[in-house]
Amino acid sequence: MASFPYVSYLRVFEPLDAFADEQQVLIMDQRNRDRSDTEELDRGLSLGRITRTVSDPFPHSSDDLVRVLHYPSPEGLTTPYYCPNQLAVRSTLAAESISHSLHNPLLGLLLPEAARDAQQQRLDPDSFADSLAKLHTRSSTWGIPFGWFVLFREDDHTEVVEGKHGIETVRISAPLSQCIDRSRYAAASLAVAAPGLDLLDELTEITEWMQTFTLTGMLELDYGRVADLVYPDESPGDVQAGIESLAEGDMTGAAAAYRRLATRWIKIRQLARAS
């Protein structure tokens, strides 16, 4: 675990019938695999890509992993929901982002032109466009955007995954429609009380993203390794308290909530700079 960075994920899981027939076949092949096995497989494949003798971080196989979320019902039963990894698309987008921030020769070392050209040839334009329109996974390195916490409450379904050396991750999940309502309410409050906050733009954009999926789906916040540094985490409550304070004109309460958030997450930002 120590060789992997602090990456957190926001994932949309959808019911089986939300996917095309070809994707349903892929899901059926993987639906019985345990979540821990999927995460271990994903880490192993990632490590294999970054340790290749030739620098090429892109996935070469067309096979994609699928994560399964078993969400509990009030009756005690669980319903499966599915999230395709869409690694080929996400790695291509990440490479494009890096190419805008780095220049040769460093860019050439990390992402050789030959590897980027080969990745483009492997991508099917139609499936790439479809995946890009409905990208199920968002990621954040060295911390969790505060806007993500708006979507969840501390009493939402929570799974704490522990390992030999501490907490491996914490996963919070909630119905997608509920998360959309929370985001809309927070955005409406900020639009009146603090229209200049970057958080308002973030919530507007993330609401539009969530609305591209089946509203019967689920949203999951996967803390990743950062969970061991912050959990138990009161960030969802602090973000909610801060927005409510702003809406009520309570600047002291809003400042206090922000201080609690900043104090909790500043050590993660410091790790990012130290790396």
Side-chain angles (χ1 to χ4, degrees):
M1 293 292 291
S3 60
F4 291 89
Y6 291 93
V7 183
S8 304
Y9 301 93
L10 189 65
R11 298 188 179 102
V12 172
F13 289 75
E14 295 185 284
L16 184 64
D17 60 11
F19 296 92
D21 291 346
E22 183 178 347
Q23 288 180 299
Q24 290 190 26
V25 172
L26 176 67
I27 290 171
M28 295 298 289
D29 289 340
Q30 303 186 44
R31 67 184 304 175
N32 294 322
R33 186 174 56 222
D34 189 77
R35 179 71 179 265
S36 61
D37 293 335
T38 299
E39 300 300 344
E40 186 63 31
L41 181 58
D42 192 26
R43 286 192 290 266
L45 292 172
S46 176
L47 187 60
R49 289 192 299 274
I50 63 177
T51 56
R52 287 173 180 156
T53 54
V54 177
S55 180
D56 183 354
F58 295 103
H60 291 178
S61 172
S62 60
D63 296 334
D64 196 23
L65 291 176
V66 176
R67 288 175 171 81
V68 184
L69 169 65
H70 295 279
Y71 192 81
S73 68
E75 295 77 20
L77 303 175
T78 60
T79 302
Y81 296 86
Y82 308 97
C83 177
N85 202 25
Q86 298 172 297
L87 182 61
V89 177
R90 293 195 296 114
S91 62
T92 301
L93 293 177
E96 290 180 1
S97 177
I98 292 174
S99 67
H100 292 310
S101 58
L102 295 179
H103 302 284
N104 284 320
L106 184 56
L107 177 61
L109 292 173
L110 293 177
L111 295 169
E113 185 175 352
R116 283 178 278 164
D117 290 342
Q119 173 67 1
Q120 290 298 323
Q121 294 175 10
R122 283 190 293 266
L123 293 174
D124 176 75
D126 292 334
S127 61
F128 181 86
D130 291 342
S131 295
L132 193 60
K134 291 186 66 174
L135 200 61
H136 285 70
T137 302
R138 293 186 166 211
S139 61
S140 176
T141 307
W142 301 110
I144 297 176
F146 291 165
W148 292 10
F149 292 122
V150 172
L151 312 175
F152 299 93
R153 300 290 182 267
E154 292 174 356
D155 59 351
D156 284 336
H157 178 66
T158 302
E159 178 187 10
V160 180
V161 182
E162 298 192 51
K164 295 180 180 179
H165 306 292
I167 298 176
E168 292 186 0
T169 189
V170 171
R171 302 188 188 109
I172 306 176
S173 54
L176 183 62
S177 59
Q178 197 172 76
C179 297
I180 291 174
D181 288 343
R182 292 168 177 173
S183 184
R184 285 173 173 169
Y185 177 80
S189 299
L190 291 176
V192 174
L197 282 184
D198 292 340
L199 181 58
L200 176 56
D201 293 334
E202 181 182 347
L203 290 176
T204 301
E205 193 271 334
I206 209 168
T207 300
E208 293 175 352
W209 170 68
M210 290 189 292
Q211 289 173 328
T212 63
F213 300 95
T214 306
L215 295 182
T216 54
M218 295 287 161
L219 190 69
E220 177 192 83
L221 171 56
D222 186 344
Y223 276 64
R225 291 182 58 226
V226 76
D228 195 45
L229 302 179
V230 300
Y231 196 78
D233 181 30
E234 298 177 349
S235 296
D238 285 335
V239 170
Q240 184 181 3
I243 293 174
E244 290 177 351
S245 295
L246 286 173
E248 296 169 359
D250 179 8
M251 296 299 106
T252 301
Y258 179 79
R259 272 198 306 273
R260 292 193 298 270
L261 280 166
T263 300
R264 185 177 303 120
W265 289 96
I266 192 171
K267 56 187 176 183
I268 313 300
R269 310 296 183 191
Q270 289 171 341
L271 280 174
R273 290 194 290 270
S275 68

